[in-house]
Amino acid sequence: MGHAPSVILGLCSYTHDSSAALLVDGELIGFVEEERLSQQKHTKDYPRHAVDWLLGEAGLPVAAVDAVAYNFQPARYLAESPAALRLALSATTRSRALPRARGFAKVALRTQLRTRMLGRLFPAARVSPVLHHRAHQMAAFAASGWNESAVLVVDSLGERQTTTIARGHDALHPSTRTLVAINDPASLGYVYGAVTEHLGWRRGDEEGTVMALAALGDPERFRHLFARAVRTTPAGFVVDPAYFPPRVLTSGYPRTSRRFIAETCPERHPSEPLQDVHRDLAAALQERTEQVMLHLAHRARMITGSRRLCVGGGVATNCVSIGRIIDDGIFDEVFVPPAPGDAGTAIGAAIAVHTASRNRRPLSGVARACYLGPSYQYQALDLTPWPNLQQKTLGVETAEFLADQLAHGMIVGLFQGRVEAGPRALGNRSILASPLEPGVVERLNATVKFREPFRPFAPMVLAERAEEFFTLGQQAPYMSMASGVTDKARERVPAIVHANGTSRLQTVTRSQNPFMHDVLSAFGRRTGVPVLINTSLNVKGKPICGTPEMALDCLANSGLDALLLEGRWITK
């Protein structure tokens, strides 16, 4: 690189979960997923809204961008094409060999063309493709704020890699060194997505629904099948192509085999009712996922010698697996960043380019930061498009007022401050409800979120009182870890305990979110329980509401009782 970039734009684009991040002299100006502004969930479009906001926030023109950090390296895809031909040696995989080789070559060319398009959009910048798993590693490690840790990344696919174990160093100038890399077709994310699709849900979107369903099934029926299909090895794991044929990066190639279908069940159409076989299949998949993740965590501990672990990649959103790793006690602490999936690689790619340059400015604004997107605190509000809504401005006791409304059984949308990073609402774009209200879970699922009745709801709790209700034993600021619960939780707040006896909790400190800390404290004074149900401000199939207009639409078209939008109380 000819000079040290001072303005680096990190991008995740053209695949799914488009996003953008901006570093200026090592300081993270912001990060936002395009869906929060465009209203298109999991959009793969170039993140135009996100980039425009970031440059506006920094007061910079397009010409000021020195480097564009892209979260894939085209040439790495190309390397898989000749390797794919080895599949022709086996009768089980022979039919996939040539299509797989062609598919990876095609994606390599397409990715190269995308980097050229970015070069045209930013003519003054150098486009720097970053290895996908390196972007994941950097995003996870830098967000931890630690000076050293093991870093485990598990996803569906990044170029050729699906799983890496690395060691991270230096909080101010983060670096990671990959020690183990597992390549496709050994992919835990691919298997989970394949079964999600087989069960009638959208791959890449509704894996969390399968994780929830798993708690209602018995893994015994298909336990041995998954032990054969996803086999652990001293190096990591392998996937049996007899059950999950090797990936072809072209549509029209099933991800499950005839044998898998014959030994489990036919594909379920989304309109078909759930049966015990579907629940049992989900349970066995989830159990095996937890076992493999735990195996990989043990391997990371042994290889790195580290007592702390960062986990990234799409599979890191499997909160039950993360909880299992924590419960096992092999690490003193486990950290999952707020945006562990592909969207977060925009941050990681930008960090990777910054640390590889000659700019020695320390990284700032990344560690333990989750509220990174746009804020609309001072924007005027026009309710003309929503004639049935009324508003009033609240005073200084807003937290007390909200706590009182929640204690009286209202379900309230909350829109305040900057948009959260990642897939979880963390108190700035949330729907809040009292866990003490009879039938609250059923009401939320049926009339507010419009989703499956077995889906659980996550609790948020004052960090200083978390141990009264949860057994996790560490902080969980980003709702990324499933925790066991205490007898007190089962007795006082059973609504937040899932069928498997866990809760995906968020611990809230005053420094992280002062307003939500005040609300939880006020609710605790009224009820004796400093715990609230917290789910994302959206309905099924829609992204989390990133703009006031999206939030008002959510209020108008769902069973929400009210919306607290930047100090304004809005009701129907």
Side-chain angles (χ1 to χ4, degrees):
M1 190 171 290
H3 69 290
S6 59
V7 179
I8 303 173
L9 179 67
L11 293 178
C12 171
S13 183
Y14 308 123
T15 52
H16 59 86
D17 296 314
S18 288
S19 64
L22 188 67
L23 286 179
V24 176
D25 280 334
E27 178 186 359
L28 182 63
I29 301 302
F31 161 83
V32 68
E33 289 146 270
E34 181 71 2
E35 66 168 30
R36 308 290 160 86
L37 306 177
S38 71
Q39 305 189 42
Q40 301 300 312
K41 191 171 185 181
H42 297 307
T43 181
K44 63 181 181 180
D45 293 343
Y46 168 74
R48 176 176 58 86
H49 297 87
V51 172
D52 288 348
W53 170 72
L54 285 166
L55 293 177
E57 187 78 357
L60 295 172
V62 168
V65 177
D66 297 301
V68 174
Y70 186 53
N71 64 334
F72 289 101
Q73 285 187 343
R76 297 297 184 108
Y77 281 105
L78 193 60
E80 182 59 31
S81 287
L85 297 178
R86 71 188 184 276
L87 300 177
L89 300 175
S90 168
T92 304
T93 58
R94 188 168 297 144
S95 64
R96 296 277 176 124
L98 284 175
R100 179 177 169 93
R102 286 195 299 265
F104 273 83
K106 184 177 179 180
V107 171
L109 175 60
R110 187 186 304 155
T111 306
Q112 182 63 40
L113 293 174
R114 288 167 176 168
T115 62
R116 291 176 184 171
M117 289 194 318
L118 294 175
R120 290 192 292 270
L121 289 171
F122 297 92
R126 176 171 180 174
V127 178
S128 297
V130 175
L131 188 67
H132 189 69
H133 269 237
R134 177 163 170 75
H136 272 306
Q137 292 167 3
M138 296 295 271
F141 177 66
S144 74
W146 294 334
N147 271 315
E148 183 276 334
S149 80
V151 185
L152 172 64
V153 174
V154 187
D155 65 0
S156 180
L157 181 70
E159 295 97 10
R160 302 176 71 193
Q161 296 175 334
T162 69
T163 306
T164 53
I165 297 172
R167 191 171 185 184
H169 292 275
D170 196 341
L172 296 181
H173 301 93
S175 66
T176 60
R177 183 165 64 93
T178 299
L179 305 173
V180 171
I182 298 173
N183 287 346
D184 196 66
S187 171
L188 202 55
Y190 180 82
V191 169
Y192 212 103
V195 180
T196 295
E197 200 167 54
H198 187 81
L199 288 171
W201 284 289
R202 290 187 301 274
R203 172 172 49 86
D205 181 30
E206 297 184 291
E207 282 83 353
T209 302
V210 175
M211 183 174 63
L213 180 67
L216 307 181
D218 181 358
E220 173 62 28
R221 191 194 306 206
F222 301 116
R223 178 174 290 144
H224 296 298
L225 182 152
F226 277 101
R228 293 191 301 270
V230 186
R231 182 168 53 86
T232 56
T233 68
F237 67 98
V238 294
V239 172
D240 189 339
Y243 291 100
F244 298 98
R247 177 195 325 255
V248 175
L249 297 178
T250 308
S251 60
Y253 288 85
R255 295 189 170 214
T256 53
S257 68
R258 292 176 182 174
R259 179 176 175 180
F260 178 85
I261 295 170
E263 295 184 19
T264 58
C265 62
E267 290 186 26
R268 172 183 168 268
H269 189 274
S271 64
E272 294 176 359
L274 284 169
Q275 300 176 13
D276 285 344
V277 68
H278 304 131
R279 299 179 184 92
D280 294 347
L281 187 59
L285 168 70
Q286 178 61 32
E287 179 184 76
R288 193 57 180 159
T289 300
E290 294 168 27
Q291 291 168 349
V292 175
M293 287 292 284
L294 193 57
H295 173 70
L296 293 169
H298 275 277
R299 182 117 174 94
R301 172 74 179 93
M302 182 182 69
I303 291 170
T304 65
S306 299
R307 295 296 308 173
R308 287 172 163 173
L309 174 69
C310 297
V311 190
V315 183
T317 61
N318 191 294
C319 63
V320 182
S321 293
I322 301 301
R324 281 287 306 277
I325 294 171
I326 294 170
D327 288 344
D328 199 67
I330 48 177
F331 292 96
D332 294 338
E333 191 171 358
V334 176
F335 177 83
V336 179
D342 276 11
T345 59
I347 300 175
I351 295 170
V353 171
H354 173 74
T355 56
S357 74
R358 293 182 300 182
N359 190 325
R360 298 309 298 162
R361 298 255 185 168
L363 188 70
S364 63
V366 178
R368 306 288 169 156
C370 64
Y371 306 111
L372 298 170
S375 171
Y376 301 85
Q377 188 171 0
Y378 302 108
Q379 179 175 302
L381 195 61
D382 179 12
L383 293 183
T384 303
W386 302 273
N388 294 326
L389 301 183
Q390 300 90 37
Q391 67 168 315
K392 68 176 181 179
T393 301
L394 300 179
V396 292
E397 297 298 323
T398 304
E400 294 285 344
F401 175 84
L402 177 57
D404 193 61
Q405 300 304 305
L406 294 168
H408 283 87
M410 293 192 77
I411 296 177
V412 180
L414 176 60
F415 185 108
Q416 61 147 357
R418 298 184 72 166
V419 178
E420 297 96 332
R424 314 297 183 205
L426 302 172
N428 279 16
R429 301 291 185 274
S430 291
I431 292 173
L432 305 176
S434 167
L436 306 172
E437 190 70 14
V440 65
V441 170
E442 293 77 10
R443 184 182 165 200
L444 278 165
N445 273 325
T447 69
V448 179
K449 300 288 284 188
F450 305 115
R451 65 184 200 179
E452 296 82 2
F454 58 82
R455 295 278 296 275
F457 286 97
M460 62 194 324
V461 60
L462 288 176
E464 59 267 32
R465 294 187 60 185
E467 64 181 15
E468 295 178 34
F469 301 91
F470 305 102
T471 62
L472 191 65
Q474 69 162 72
Q475 295 296 296
Y478 308 130
M479 203 186 287
S480 53
M481 303 159 178
S483 170
V485 299
T486 64
D487 290 340
K488 183 175 183 178
R490 291 188 186 93
E491 178 186 345
R492 297 296 307 276
V493 284
I496 54 88
V497 183
H498 193 33
N500 61 4
T502 70
S503 295
R504 188 186 70 206
L505 80 154
Q506 178 193 358
T507 54
V508 180
T509 63
R510 181 170 294 282
S511 60
Q512 176 191 349
N513 194 321
F515 180 74
M516 275 314 312
H517 192 275
D518 287 346
V519 173
L520 286 163
S521 298
F523 186 81
R525 287 194 297 272
R526 286 164 170 78
T527 65
V529 177
V531 179
L532 286 169
I533 288 175
N534 173 26
T535 187
S536 54
L537 183 59
N538 69 326
V539 297
K540 184 180 179 181
K542 298 287 187 180
I544 295 175
C545 298
T547 67
E549 292 76 18
M550 293 168 70
L552 291 166
D553 277 339
C554 186
L555 171 62
N557 297 297
S558 75
L560 279 176
D561 294 317
L563 172 69
L564 178 58
L565 194 158
E566 297 296 0
R568 287 162 284 197
W569 185 250
I570 304 169
T571 55
K572 301 175 185 178

